[in-house]
Amino acid sequence: MPRGTLITPDGTRIAYRTDLPPRGPAGPPAVLLLDGPTGHAGDWDDLTARLCEDGHRVVRYEARRDERATEEVRGAAAATADAAALLRHLGLVPAVLVARSEAGHTARRLAHAAPHLILSLILLDEPHDACRNDDAHDTHPTLALRADQATPHDPHTLHEAIGEFLRRTGATRKDAAHA
């Protein structure tokens, strides 16, 4: 699992790791995993392994955190810019975004601000008050799963739902990355 550090234009260091499928980096589109403020990259271990088995290159990172600030104060623009910078830095565009909890805000903002970077959105247990941007729904296939369907503690059910969505939207084909 290659690890790296991205230094953003404002000097913030973002640690990331990339998990490759057993057959190498070529294959279906990459998946960027985004987590909410209380999660961390290790929460995705089981799902990452399953997505890699499906041939996806999977990237996860620790988002910036400022425990004293709310998501909006912390910098919605910074969170969105960080995800975009990481995708560009790794050359993983367009990618599938899988976002859990409040990271759904970041995924939706990124889909709206830079639609060419995103192939589809998978939103897990997004808060009820999530900012909903109709443009993201109009331009990107989106799957939203409730907490009882999206728990990382049941990776089999979650993997099956994600796999079916990616098959249905064509994001499992090798050529989908060049769509």
Side-chain angles (χ1 to χ4, degrees):
M1 145 180 26
R3 295 177 183 262
T5 302
L6 170 68
I7 300 175
T8 65
D10 69 0
T12 301
R13 292 178 177 273
I14 298 174
Y16 65 87
R17 58 187 180 193
T18 304
D19 294 88
L20 301 175
R23 294 165 298 284
V31 175
L32 178 64
L33 302 174
L34 303 167
D35 214 335
T38 61
H40 57 81
D43 291 344
W44 298 102
D45 286 348
D46 290 331
L47 181 61
T48 295
R50 292 168 188 261
L51 290 171
C52 285
E53 282 297 318
D54 292 344
H56 295 276
R57 184 174 175 187
V58 180
V59 176
R60 44 199 165 145
Y61 70 102
E62 299 294 341
R64 325 175 168 222
R65 297 207 195 309
D66 179 350
E67 305 305 328
R68 299 163 298 165
T70 65
E71 170 71 17
E72 296 306 315
V73 173
R74 182 180 307 118
T80 303
D82 291 349
L86 188 57
L87 287 172
R88 287 184 185 111
H89 172 73
L90 296 171
L92 301 177
V93 294
V96 174
L97 293 186
V98 178
R100 183 173 53 201
S101 183
E102 293 179 27
H105 295 292
T106 300
R108 288 178 184 276
R109 282 189 296 270
L110 182 54
H112 179 69
H116 62 286
L117 299 179
I118 310 305
L119 187 62
S120 59
L121 302 172
I122 299 172
L123 307 172
L124 310 176
D125 195 21
E126 190 177 27
H128 294 296
D129 64 342
C131 64
R132 299 220 182 321
N133 186 316
D134 292 335
D135 293 338
H137 285 292
D138 292 341
T139 60
H140 298 87
T142 302
L143 172 66
L145 297 172
R146 298 181 319 267
D148 61 333
Q149 301 169 309
T151 176
H153 305 294
D154 183 7
H156 176 73
T157 303
L158 180 55
H159 174 251
E160 289 299 315
I162 289 172
E164 177 58 31
F165 172 73
L166 295 176
R167 282 187 291 282
R168 201 175 70 240
T169 61
T172 57
R173 297 187 328 264
K174 288 184 178 185
D175 60 319
H178 305 292

